[in-house]
Amino acid sequence: MAAPITIALDAMGGDFGASVVVPGAAIALERRPDIRFLLHGDEKVIAPLLAKHPALKAASEIRHSDVFVRMDDKPSQALRAGRYKSSMWQAIDAVKTGDAHVAVSAGNTGALMAMAMFCLKTMAPIDRPAIAGIWPTLRGESIVLDIGATIGADAHQLVNLALMGTALARAVFDIERPTVGLLNVGVEEIKGNEAVKEAGRMLRESTSQQYTYHGFVEGDDLGKGTVDVVVTEGFAGNIALKAAEGTARQVATYLRAAIERSFMARIGYLFARGAFKALREKLDPRRSNGGIFLGLNGIVIKSHGGTDAYGFAAAVELAYDMSRFGLIDRIRDTLTQPEPLTAEAL
């Protein structure tokens, strides 16, 4: 039997803090009984919530901290005030020290990235980490990165994103040679800004056996699942993510309104209830909650700050899977192949 996976939780992070983190962890534990938790935060807040979940309490340890990062803190401010002592820092530090395999926080994204970079450092030759998301598509799932870690990227950084996304796809999807596409305003080679066009040339001319370069992809290819890995810089990636989440909620609202419009529509719903339930689950953004910080010497998962317990449980399960897949070793292996396209080599 495999050894338990220990997950460090920033129990005070997010819009709702421990009131979501604790029940979310309880849901994840039901699905993954071999998880053990380190709950970082205010013990006076966490302990009463933990008492409501006996199984979780037995699988958890509270590590007290009365300092926490607020959602509106600037990264530099959060780093100065919370370094070494905040619940967010301590959750990340538990990964560095080996007390935990992975850290999860729903807290301030900028602060989490700053602390993670400062505490865990980046892998060579990565100079800027990325946030990757597992994106539901018509043919299954794809990896999309960067979805908001940093704004802008040059050609070398886009190529390194492709390498990290490749490693993640190989780990998660068990694909030997994933297909990679660069998000662009068109599929023609003459379109796009200079960084995207140069990155496309570099990937196209690469002799790497780790991935197959598909070429440029457009926004509608995200939902189609045209490629296994979609590469973009953080500004466009975050807009794409928020647009997709908003569209899913919009469609769900339209469906509810249509069902309630008339008596006959409600009768029709009764006959198609199973199909509507399956559609509702597909459109639920909570099922895909969790961004993976790539390029660090440790695994950190960012949960949406406004999610509920079910959404946070999805982020915890993602953390579990990344550790089980041996993500860090997979990325290191990909980056240290004889022919890596690194910032230094290019």
Side-chain angles (χ1 to χ4, degrees), residues 158-213:
L158 289 171
V159 170
N160 277 331
L161 289 177
L163 286 172
M164 290 191 291
T166 293
L168 181 57
R170 293 172 74 180
V172 175
F173 304 146
D174 196 26
I175 302 172
E176 183 61 30
R177 194 171 180 179
T179 54
V180 174
L182 279 171
L183 188 63
N184 200 3
V185 295
V187 298
E188 298 85 359
E189 292 182 15
I190 61 171
K191 290 188 174 180
N193 61 37
E194 290 306 313
V196 171
K197 288 191 287 187
E198 177 64 10
R201 181 193 65 78
M202 293 157 67
L203 290 169
R204 189 168 54 252
E205 294 177 0
S206 168
T207 59
S208 175
Q209 298 300 305
Q210 300 178 73
Y211 58 83
T212 299
Y213 179 57

Side-chain angles (χ1 to χ4, degrees), residues 18-168:
S19 65
V20 160
V21 171
V22 172
I27 294 169
L29 183 63
E30 290 178 7
R31 300 169 181 168
R32 304 284 195 275
D34 56 335
I35 297 179
R36 298 297 177 264
F37 290 103
L38 300 179
L39 296 167
H40 297 267
D42 190 339
E43 186 170 9
K44 296 191 298 295
V45 175
I46 299 170
L49 294 168
L50 202 58
K52 300 176 182 178
H53 304 279
L56 177 63
K57 184 177 180 180
S60 300
E61 175 188 337
I62 299 175
R63 295 194 172 180
H64 177 73
S65 170
D66 53 13
V67 178
F68 63 93
V69 176
R70 295 175 299 183
M71 295 299 283
D72 59 352
D73 283 347
K74 293 181 179 179
S76 57
Q77 181 183 29
L79 196 57
R80 283 195 304 271
R83 183 179 167 190
Y84 301 126
K85 55 189 177 181
S86 68
S87 59
M88 180 182 286
W89 176 278
Q90 291 181 1
I92 298 168
D93 191 57
V95 177
K96 180 181 179 180
T97 61
D99 289 352
H101 296 91
V102 56
V104 182
S105 175
N108 182 317
T109 303
L112 185 65
M113 179 59 80
M115 287 189 180
M117 287 182 65
F118 198 97
C119 184
L120 299 174
K121 311 301 182 185
T122 55
M123 296 179 180
I126 303 300
D127 58 350
R128 300 197 325 183
I131 304 177
I134 298 179
W135 201 285
T137 74
L138 292 177
R139 70 178 187 91
E141 291 177 321
S142 295
I143 305 297
V144 180
L145 76 166
D146 177 19
I147 55 174
T150 52
I151 305 302
D154 61 26
H156 302 291
Q157 289 161 344
L158 289 171
V159 170
N160 277 331
L161 289 177
L163 286 172
M164 290 191 291
T166 293
L168 181 57

